[in-house]
Amino acid sequence: MRGSDAVQEALFMFAKLDDFVPTDHPLRAIQKLVNEGLTRLNGLFNTIYADTGRASIAPEKLVRALLLQVFYSIRGERQLMEQIRYNLLFRWFVGLAIDDAVWDHSVFSKNRDRLLEHEVVEAFFTEVMTLADKAGLLSKEHFSVDGTLIQAWASHKSFRPKDGSDDSDASGPGRNAQANWKGTRRSNDTHASTTDPDARQYRKSHNTAAILAYQGHVLMENRSGLVVGTIVTHADGFGERAAALAMLDAVPASRPRTVGADKAYDTRDFIEACRRRQVTPHVASNGSGHRRSAIDGRTTRHEGYRLSQTKRKRIEEHFGWGKTVGRIRQTVYRGIRNVDQHFKLTMTASNLVRMARILSAVPQGGAA
């Protein structure tokens, strides 16, 4: 018999949000980790918010919503609020009941900026790494380092002379006229972006176009491939090596360590700086042409060197995930401090996905 197309809603209905989420949904394992990390930030949250006054959005809900924005490639706050309004999975993860009102996108943005101002994302990243350490997922001896370009939220037309003059030969109708800089020298010494002054013009190689960008740097431990250090710097030719040393210094060390890296790190000053820190530089040799590599057979002859060169490529998995699923191919934030928090949040989300997958594969009561 043909079924009826009519919709008959029950007068009363009792249902929990948890009933709508499959027991094997990937977000269940991630939510458990997120909630445990947020619980450890309760003291920080108490110092950020006043004891009296009108209640704002709970910071725990804000962080969960920001993570959803990364997990599901949601670019703007308007779209995020729309998704939370009708998506039961999103409501469950954030911690909103079915009949709870969803925040206005402008209210959400203001409360999010408070988290960025107090570096809550960085504190949350640290707590997630503490959970990974307790689970035995982190190596304390073997690391890898690499960097990637993050395109700034600014156009070439905003890159103007610092003296206030106009060097563009604009032509054509309308406000967005065609600009022509042919034959004009434009460098970071003489020009700056009026949209995002912290962004720098940078080209990755002679065969690529220059863009306004930042550099995001990652320090990864080699056991589970988890990010243990991140930092965003101005885009320049020295940022990668300086950031690598800064991240290594931030990791407590009680024994000698190794760090794998690509050819860009094969410079004498970086190699010597690593050895002063009791860090063995497992850097890819860059001895092409007339250039002499700073790495010799005393390092490359060991099996550990070849293993480090294999492991270091796993950093690209974090960069690839962050640029295709997350939103770090081109940031929507302005200012190096905000871009740094955005990059840390994306790498934290990438870690959570990997940790949930690893821990879910471990039998109950077993070791990772």
Side-chain angles (χ1 to χ4, degrees):
M1 180 178 72
R2 178 182 176 182
S4 173
D5 188 40
V7 177
Q8 176 105 23
E9 292 189 352
L11 183 60
F12 299 102
M13 183 184 69
F14 177 79
K16 296 183 298 182
L17 275 176
D18 193 73
D19 298 335
F20 295 96
V21 182
T23 56
D24 59 346
H25 197 282
L27 278 183
R28 282 194 177 273
I30 293 174
Q31 189 198 53
K32 182 179 179 181
L33 293 169
V34 171
N35 290 345
E36 192 171 348
L38 290 174
T39 300
R40 299 169 61 91
L41 293 179
N42 187 58
L44 174 61
F45 293 148
N46 287 338
T47 63
I48 295 175
Y49 294 86
D51 296 330
T52 59
R54 191 172 67 176
S56 63
I57 302 175
E60 295 87 349
K61 291 181 171 63
L62 280 171
V63 173
R64 296 189 197 104
L66 289 172
L67 287 172
L68 281 177
Q69 198 170 6
V70 179
F71 292 144
Y72 288 90
S73 310
I74 301 173
R75 191 156 187 85
E77 284 76 15
R78 290 177 184 268
Q79 186 182 1
L80 177 62
M81 295 304 103
E82 180 185 353
Q83 287 277 349
I84 294 176
R85 184 170 292 111
Y86 61 71
N87 192 321
L88 296 181
L89 176 66
F90 281 23
R91 281 181 173 267
W92 168 83
F93 186 83
V94 171
L96 290 176
I98 294 178
D99 55 350
D100 281 345
V102 179
W103 319 293
D104 182 81
H105 68 90
S106 60
V107 175
F108 179 85
S109 298
K110 289 181 180 179
N111 281 267
R112 177 210 60 200
D113 291 342
R114 176 183 290 181
L115 297 186
L116 297 179
E117 179 183 350
H118 290 86
E119 299 183 346
V120 170
V121 172
E122 186 162 356
F124 180 62
F125 173 83
T126 302
E127 294 303 333
V128 170
M129 288 298 92
T130 301
L131 295 177
D133 192 21
K134 287 184 176 180
L137 301 182
L138 301 184
S139 170
K140 305 293 180 64
E141 301 174 354
H142 305 293
F143 301 91
S144 297
V145 68
D146 204 355
T148 188
L149 276 185
I150 304 172
Q151 187 174 350
W153 192 249
S155 70
H156 277 293
K157 291 184 180 180
S158 72
F159 196 61
R160 300 193 173 186
K162 295 180 180 179
D163 58 10
S165 61
D166 188 3
D167 64 344
S168 64
D169 184 15
S171 61
R175 293 181 302 174
N176 193 21
Q178 182 70 32
N180 180 17
W181 296 290
K182 186 174 182 180
T184 304
R185 182 175 178 80
R186 291 155 57 86
S187 71
N188 293 316
D189 294 333
T190 58
H191 290 62
S193 171
T194 57
T195 305
D196 185 358
D198 286 341
R200 297 290 184 269
Q201 183 172 252
Y202 185 79
R203 66 170 65 197
K204 196 170 184 179
S205 67
H206 295 295
N207 299 323
T208 59
I211 61 172
L212 289 171
Y214 294 91
Q215 279 184 321
H217 312 274
V218 159
L219 180 70
M220 181 191 76
E221 56 80 35
N222 288 352
R223 177 180 298 169
S224 303
L226 295 174
V227 174
V228 295
T230 71
I231 191 173
V232 168
T233 64
H234 297 297
D236 59 49
F238 308 95
E240 283 189 323
R241 297 183 290 277
L245 295 174
M247 290 187 292
L248 285 169
D249 289 339
V251 176
S254 58
R255 63 189 72 181
R257 296 169 291 172
T258 67
V259 60
D262 60 26
K263 293 181 179 180
Y265 297 83
D266 184 11
T267 62
R268 191 167 299 280
D269 57 344
F270 178 75
I271 300 301
E272 292 175 352
C274 285
R275 287 175 173 155
R276 285 197 300 269
R277 290 166 170 79
Q278 290 189 313
V279 176
T280 303
H282 287 175
V283 176
S285 177
N286 185 20
S288 58
H290 298 288
R291 190 181 186 283
R292 183 176 179 180
S293 173
I295 296 291
D296 55 32
R298 292 175 298 174
T299 301
T300 59
R301 64 188 175 88
H302 295 287
E303 180 63 26
Y305 175 83
R306 287 185 284 274
L307 187 58
S308 291
Q309 283 298 302
T310 300
K311 289 283 189 178
R312 72 170 177 83
K313 298 174 183 177
R314 297 187 67 182
I315 291 185
E316 298 298 338
E317 298 174 12
H318 289 284
F319 290 156
W321 188 91
K323 290 187 177 184
T324 56
V325 178
R327 302 172 297 143
I328 62 168
R329 184 179 299 279
Q330 182 178 23
T331 182
V332 295
Y333 293 88
R334 291 170 180 163
I336 192 168
R337 184 179 180 184
N338 288 338
V339 175
D340 180 69
Q341 295 287 299
H342 177 210
F343 186 67
K344 280 185 172 67
L345 178 68
T346 306
M347 292 299 102
T348 304
S350 181
N351 274 348
L352 286 167
V353 171
R354 182 164 294 191
M355 287 170 60
R357 185 169 63 246
I358 294 173
L359 294 176
S360 297
V362 177
Q364 292 294 328

